[in-house]
Amino acid sequence: GNEWLLPESDCAWCFSQVKKIRKVLREIDKPFGLYPNFLSPVSGNWVQHHVSVGGLGDSFYEYLIKSWLMSAKTDTEAKNMYDEALEAIDTYLVNVSPGGLTYIAEWRGGVLDHKMGHLACFSGGMIALGAEDAKEDKKAYYRDLAAQITRTCHESYARSDTKLGPEAFWFNSGREAVATQLSESYYILRPEVVESYMYLWRQTHDPIYREWGWEVVMALEKHCRTEAGFSGIQDVYSSNPNHDNRQQSFFLAETLKYLYLLFSEDNVLSPEDWVFNTEAHPLPINHWDSSTMAGHRH
C-alpha cells in the first residue's frame, strides 16, 4: 500500500517550504544573473561570490530543470529560473579553448578559473535534457553546446594514460583538459561523464557515445577492478596506477547504472516517465498533475 506516503497536508506543507526557498533565490540580487555557491541562512545574503557548475553548485541547476520535468512541465517557475541561469552561465562562464574545446569555467568575484571539475561534467547531459524544451531559436544551439561540453569531458579521459578522467582539469599555459597537479589527478569511480554520454545517446543516437562509454568500461576493467570489487585510482596519468582501495557507493548507484542505461533500449526507465535525481534514483513524472491541470483548463 501507500502507508509510507506523507499525508497530503504534510506534502503540501513541505512543498510550500521549498517554494519559499526558491522564491528567495529567485528574487535575490545575483551577480550577472549567476548564483554563487554560498548563501548565509542568517542574513539571506551571498557569503562569497564563487560560482561553480561543479561541486557545491551542480545539483541546484539540475533540480530546476528536473523539477519542471517531474511536474509534467507544469512548474513554470522552475523552468524560467533554469532558462535564466543557463543563459547567465552561457554568457559568463562558457569558454572555448585555443584548441577548440568548450568548457564551463569557475567564477570568483569576476575572475575566471579556467578549469572544470569532473563533477561539472554532468552539465552536458543537463543541457541536452533542457534543450528539448528550449525556445525554438535556442534548441539547436543548446543541443550543440551539450555535445561540445560532453566532448571536452571525453577529452579529459582520452588525454590520460588510463583513459579515465581526473578530478579536475585545466585550460591554461598551452595545456588543455588535463590536471595540472597530482592532487587533482585521481579518479574515484565518478559517474558524471558517463551520465552525459547516456543523455546524449538517448537524444541523438550518435554511436560515438556508446563507443566512448565502452572505452570507460574497458578502462574500469583494466585499472579499477580488484578481487573484491572496483577501486578508485590515485593518478590517471600513470600507466600502472595505485588503487585507493575504496569503492564509492555512487559507483553502483550511478556509474554502473548510467553505463547500463547507455547500452539499454530507450524504454528502460524512459525519460517520458522517469526523472533521475542527482544520485540517479528514478522518480516518476507526475502525469496526474498534468492531466489535472488540463482538466481545470477545460
Side-chain angles (χ1 to χ4, degrees), residues 29-240:
D29 283 339
K30 293 172 278 292
F32 302 100
L34 298 166
Y35 287 85
N37 286 345
F38 298 98
L39 187 74
S40 168
V42 178
S43 69
N45 295 319
W46 304 116
V47 177
Q48 53 181 267
H49 285 186
H50 173 216
V51 179
S52 168
V53 180
L56 301 175
D58 47 1
S59 300
F60 170 69
Y61 305 103
E62 176 183 12
Y63 279 167
L64 289 176
I65 190 64
K66 288 182 175 180
S67 293
W68 184 68
L69 293 170
M70 194 172 160
S71 72
K73 304 182 181 180
T74 61
D75 186 355
T76 53
E77 179 183 65
K79 176 65 160 54
N80 291 338
M81 289 175 70
Y82 170 80
D83 287 342
E84 290 167 6
L86 183 58
E87 193 169 321
I89 289 166
D90 185 36
T91 301
Y92 296 103
L93 303 184
V94 171
N95 280 260
V96 180
S97 72
L101 297 179
T102 300
Y103 62 97
I104 304 178
E106 297 189 6
W107 190 84
R108 295 181 187 274
V111 179
L112 289 183
D113 282 342
H114 291 276
K115 74 165 184 174
M116 274 186 80
H118 194 292
L119 288 164
C121 282
F122 87 98
S123 59
M126 177 188 73
I127 294 167
L129 197 61
E132 293 296 293
D133 295 286
K135 294 172 183 172
E136 283 301 322
D137 61 340
K138 280 285 195 177
K139 278 186 181 181
Y141 174 79
Y142 282 133
R143 283 174 179 155
D144 183 63
L145 179 61
Q148 292 302 324
I149 289 170
T150 302
R151 181 172 78 93
T152 296
C153 291
H154 171 261
E155 283 298 314
S156 77
Y157 278 52
R159 297 180 186 199
S160 77
D161 292 67
T162 58
K163 305 307 175 189
L164 294 167
E167 181 70 3
F169 48 94
W170 290 77
F171 300 83
N172 54 24
S173 304
R175 305 184 70 199
E176 298 189 358
V178 293
T180 56
Q181 49 197 20
L182 191 60
S183 62
E184 296 174 334
S185 297
Y186 61 89
Y187 172 70
I188 55 172
L189 308 175
R190 288 204 186 277
E192 290 78 21
V193 172
V194 294
E195 176 181 356
S196 285
Y197 293 170
M198 187 275 291
Y199 280 112
L200 270 291
W201 162 257
R202 287 201 163 180
Q203 185 182 89
T204 69
H205 293 114
D206 185 333
I208 195 66
Y209 298 112
R210 283 186 164 175
E211 291 173 23
W212 290 351
W214 193 246
E215 290 173 7
V216 176
V217 172
M218 293 293 95
L220 288 169
E221 284 285 316
K222 182 176 181 180
H223 298 292
C224 299
R225 183 186 273 281
T226 72
E227 288 184 9
F230 285 79
S231 169
I233 56 176
Q234 294 177 357
D235 183 5
V236 298
Y237 302 106
S238 168
S239 55
N240 188 25

